[in-house]
Amino acid sequence: MARKAVVEARPAFTRERIVAVASDLIERDGLGAFTMRSLGRELGVSAMAVYSHFDSRDAILVAVLQRLMASMDTDPVPGEAWDDTLRRTMASIYRLEMAHPELATIEVVPQTGENGLAEHTDKIVNLHLAQGMPEPVLTQAWALVDAYLTGFIGNAIAVRASRPSVDCGASGAQVAEGGSSAGCASSDTLPWQRVVAAAYTDEAFAHGVEIIIQGIRALAAPDPCEWRTPEP
């Protein structure tokens, strides 16, 4: 008796699957190559079928960015001090965006980036307000944190992309792309090139976070800054 061919069931065609496949596609081919047609091909459906769940490419990009933001370690931790919250959340944002640079580029797409970040922004703002951080202080702190994350991560990604294998400073150790150092430079480059290339490391990022925390304390003075996440 002939055996019946085994037919693998196609994954359910849901919003969640569309967003997951779109995320993989953007990471593989880049944001510029991402279209409804290319997404449909990847899903094994027509572009029109995708429109049954999302009304535009931008709507999918918003959902992709929301998915990335939701994976970050930004939930409230009862009793946590505000400065530890900043260290934890900023480190999580840094790690995730460095690991998914193509997805992070959605943030700078006009309107789409803002819409995709809205839930994340609301969550972080309310987290610090619930800790008791005064809104005027949080407003100034937000500007510092936002500018730092945008500038550092953007430059770190650019440095890493331009130097897949680099010589990191006096140690002479080689760090492969995706390692703990964002990028350094070989000894035959100019001093400014070595400085810029060696600047964007995990350690440098952590030092910058500490500087921001001290800046917030100075902005809030004479407030003792004893803000904490409420206990349940």
Side-chain angles (χ1 to χ4, degrees):
M1 180 182 296
R3 289 186 178 182
K4 292 183 179 180
V6 177
V7 179
E8 293 185 6
R10 178 179 294 181
F13 185 57
T14 62
R15 286 178 63 91
E16 292 73 20
R17 173 160 169 73
I18 292 171
V19 174
V21 172
S23 299
D24 292 342
L25 191 58
I26 293 169
E27 289 204 88
R28 189 188 72 199
D29 299 339
L31 183 58
F34 177 71
T35 65
M36 297 295 268
R37 183 171 295 179
S38 65
L39 177 58
R41 281 198 303 268
E42 199 74 10
L43 288 162
V45 300
S46 68
M48 291 306 298
V50 179
Y51 281 110
S52 67
H53 288 282
F54 291 93
D55 60 11
S56 67
R57 174 180 181 271
D58 284 349
I60 295 175
L61 295 181
V62 167
V64 167
L65 188 53
Q66 288 173 333
R67 181 175 183 262
L68 177 66
M69 295 295 118
S71 68
M72 294 175 178
D73 183 13
T74 55
D75 288 338
V77 175
E80 185 177 55
W82 68 276
D83 50 346
D84 286 335
T85 299
L86 269 182
R87 293 183 184 99
R88 175 173 61 86
T89 57
M90 290 180 71
S92 180
I93 292 168
Y94 168 65
R95 287 193 301 269
L96 264 292
E97 295 202 355
M98 288 298 296
H100 305 281
E102 287 295 338
L103 300 185
T105 61
I106 300 172
E107 294 180 21
V108 299
V109 178
Q111 196 59 49
T112 299
E114 181 179 343
N115 292 340
L117 290 170
E119 290 182 11
H120 169 79
T121 301
D122 181 66
K123 182 178 182 180
I124 296 294
V125 167
N126 285 314
L127 190 160
H128 287 297
L129 289 177
Q131 289 179 322
M133 185 181 292
E135 188 167 329
V137 175
L138 178 55
T139 300
Q140 296 179 79
W142 188 271
L144 292 173
V145 170
D146 189 49
Y148 181 63
L149 286 172
T150 302
F152 193 102
I153 294 173
N155 285 327
I157 290 171
V159 167
R160 188 177 71 179
S162 65
R163 293 178 175 85
S165 182
V166 291
D167 182 2
C168 291
S171 68
Q174 292 290 315
V175 177
E177 182 177 3
S180 63
S181 177
C184 302
S186 61
S187 58
D188 60 350
T189 56
L190 296 173
W192 73 264
Q193 292 173 315
R194 293 196 298 272
V195 168
V196 171
Y200 298 99
T201 63
D202 295 350
E203 183 180 23
F205 180 82
H207 287 166
V209 173
E210 295 304 317
I211 291 170
I212 288 174
I213 289 171
Q214 292 307 312
I216 294 170
R217 292 186 186 278
L219 288 169
D223 192 313
C225 304
E226 297 175 350
W227 312 311
R228 287 184 178 274
T229 302
E231 298 282 359

